[in-house]
Amino acid sequence: MVSLEEIRSPEDVRKLHKDELPLLCDQLRQKMIDTVSVTGGHLASNLGTVELTVALHRVFRLPTDTVVWDVGHQCYAHKLLTGRYDRFDTLRRKDGISGFPKPEESEYDSFITGHSSTAISAANGIAKAKALSGDDSYTVAVIGDGAMTGGLAYEGLSNAGRSEDRLLVILNDNKMSISQNVGFVSRYLSGLRTKVRYVRWKQKVATTLRSIPLIGHPISNLLEWFKKKMRRSLFTDTSYFEKMGYRYLGPVDGHDLDDLVQAMLSAKSIGKPVLLHVTTVKGKGYPEAEKNPDIFHGIGVFDPATGAAQVGGDSFSAHFGDTLCQLAREDDRIVAVTAAMKKGTCLDAFSKEFPTRFFDAGIAEGHAVTFSSGMACGGLLPVFAVYSTFLQRSFDQLLNDTSIMNNHVVLAIDRAGVVPDDGETHQGLYDVAMLRAIPHTWVYAPSTFKELELNLRQALYDTDGIAAVRYPKGGESPALADYEPSYKHYDYMDSKRRNLLLVTYGRTFGEVQAYVRKRQRNGEHLSVLKLNRIHPLPEDVVDIAGQYATVLFFEEAARQGGVGEHLGACLMLHGYTGRYAVRAIDHTLGACTTAQGLEATGLDVAGVAAFVEEYTGE
């Protein structure tokens, strides 16, 4: 009897009898459910790709053949089949298994795909490199239909379709991305899904005809010619992909192993770009995930018996959603935009209360920004809620489509700073440096929920151009329980001593404040300058900092291009002769908890104390 524990490589999968494969699929699903219920993770998408993954490992010879996953959060079964079963319980943990493909983790992982819509372009490049070196192995891109709302997917499709390379694009069509799929692509694929019975009938007829001696193959070839003539009318409309240079196969039931294996073998026999359309059910095999695929897309700790998730505490995201609803009741010009992250950014309530003023652009952050800029041209007040890591994908649209015209667009930047669990691709460390480079941009960094509400109003009504409010995942620091935000762009807590000034903003203010209070209990008093608007720097900040013998800046963002680096440059230009140092983040961060991330970067209370001691000896 097959045992998942004994599967160490794709070779082991190929050795199994096909009758053993359903049991292997059941074991894969159970292992995922058991593990993710403890670690949290992307469950629904992985449950939906179990048979697809097993079929890939049966037909292709990894790592000689190459598979690129898009988005990479659907690769859990792949990891379990490639020698990582024993470490799977470390999923998304510090020094454990990544929740995404990671080449340094395994030779079977070819490309880091933490963001959407990248696989076809990457696979196109890998396939081209193979072709130029005389390597006749196959390259496979597995891309979800939700990722097909991203423009990069079409750039990759267009370029790869012109090649003669051995490339297979598997379109995993589950009618979902993270939130419900939207737009033309979703409607187009829905039309193709209705033709599954025809495709199965065609395959059976072809197999039967070819088995007839002498006349079978000629008749089959004639029918193939006739099928091509009819394809664009009665049966299926596959011309979209075929005009891009692909041989279209499918739709194929993504949970029927026999059909999947046969389709993949057919794709291999063609020897040039093929698009295989596979239909799957997100959450397959776990009733709670099938009923609630959006909730189980990315879920925290939950009870596998009931599907009930642990309830998290109050969060900045939830307060943003509540505040935006309140503001929208007061001002009908306010509209909300998301890029397939309605639940993650807490816009559910807004979408229900203001359905005509809520827009999900799909996984297309660049479009979402330009779309928002266009609405601003029409007199609306667009608020684009987006994770920091995904905002990076819209730099050109922020600069050329928004800033240059000074269009007023508000960015609600969620998951700013250290982000737990998902690793390098999801850390929110680079938005500050990116936005500081763009003219006509204002950036606020609230430390508390009340301050978030205040900053959102300021961003909407006290600025022009691009106005961003960045806030972390999770809740506010207990050290700030009695902190009252001010309408000013900074708060200056002056100890009347000019030996040391601590400067910071956002969540890090809570860590600095906790350290300062420890010193106060010993009768020591420190000066703190807390920035509320971090860009542009308030005019008085340089003058205040210039009075101190030592200035230490703590920043939960990238050092290069950050606010701390900028303040240092301003001080130098003003002839500052004291000591100035910045504690910020100058390296990538893998999977970790928030506390572990702050500790690793020296931005927790202990890190603040160590940095102060290093520069002052205190």
Side-chain angles (χ1 to χ4, degrees), residues 553-570:
F553 198 109
F554 298 88
E555 182 168 18
E556 191 186 337
R559 175 190 298 274
Q560 290 77 16
V563 182
E565 199 174 70
H566 178 53
L567 177 57
C570 291

Side-chain angles (χ1 to χ4, degrees), residues 391-408:
L391 182 65
Q392 298 161 188
R393 314 187 83 193
S394 59
F395 181 88
D396 183 68
Q397 290 74 28
L398 287 166
L399 178 62
N400 287 327
D401 299 345
T402 311
S403 169
I404 288 176
M405 293 186 289
N406 204 31
N407 285 345
H408 187 36

Side-chain angles (χ1 to χ4, degrees), residues 499-505 529 531 537 541-542 544-555 559 562-573 575-584 611 614-616:
N499 61 322
L500 175 65
L501 175 68
L502 307 182
V503 188
T504 191
Y505 63 85
L529 180 60
L531 304 178
L537 273 180
V541 164
V542 177
I544 293 171
Q547 302 172 29
Y548 286 81
T550 301
V551 179
L552 302 181
F553 198 109
F554 298 88
E555 182 168 18
R559 175 190 298 274
V563 182
E565 199 174 70
H566 178 53
L567 177 57
C570 291
L571 285 169
M572 181 183 69
L573 289 173
Y576 179 69
T577 58
R579 304 182 75 188
Y580 182 80
V582 178
R583 171 62 61 84
F611 201 57
E614 178 183 348
Y615 280 90
T616 68

Side-chain angles (χ1 to χ4, degrees), residues 61 73 119 161 169 182 237 264 373 408 418 426 446 461 478 510 584 587 601:
R61 294 187 175 272
H73 61 229
V169 176
V182 295
D237 178 13
M264 290 180 192
S373 185
H408 187 36
V418 174
H426 282 59
Y461 300 116
H587 58 278
T601 54

Side-chain angles (χ1 to χ4, degrees), residues 30 108 138 224 343 410 447:
Q30 192 60 54
Y108 297 102
Y138 244 96
E224 177 68 17
K343 288 190 177 296
V410 174
S447 300

Side-chain angles (χ1 to χ4, degrees), residues 448-470:
T448 65
F449 300 150
K450 285 184 179 180
E451 196 168 28
L452 169 63
E453 298 167 14
L454 175 63
N455 288 166
L456 194 54
R457 286 185 180 273
Q458 289 175 307
L460 281 164
Y461 300 116
D462 294 354
T463 65
D464 56 7
I466 299 167
V469 182
R470 68 183 306 267

Side-chain angles (χ1 to χ4, degrees), residues 420-441:
D421 305 325
D422 283 329
E424 298 92 334
T425 57
H426 282 59
Q427 300 295 350
L429 306 179
Y430 307 104
D431 58 280
V432 173
M434 181 179 78
L435 292 171
R436 282 197 59 254
I438 297 175
H440 309 302
T441 299

Side-chain angles (χ1 to χ4, degrees), residues 82-96:
T82 51
R84 285 169 276 187
Y85 177 92
D86 292 341
R87 298 185 62 215
F88 198 68
D89 60 351
T90 68
L91 181 72
R92 303 170 79 237
R93 294 290 193 248
K94 188 175 185 294
D95 302 323

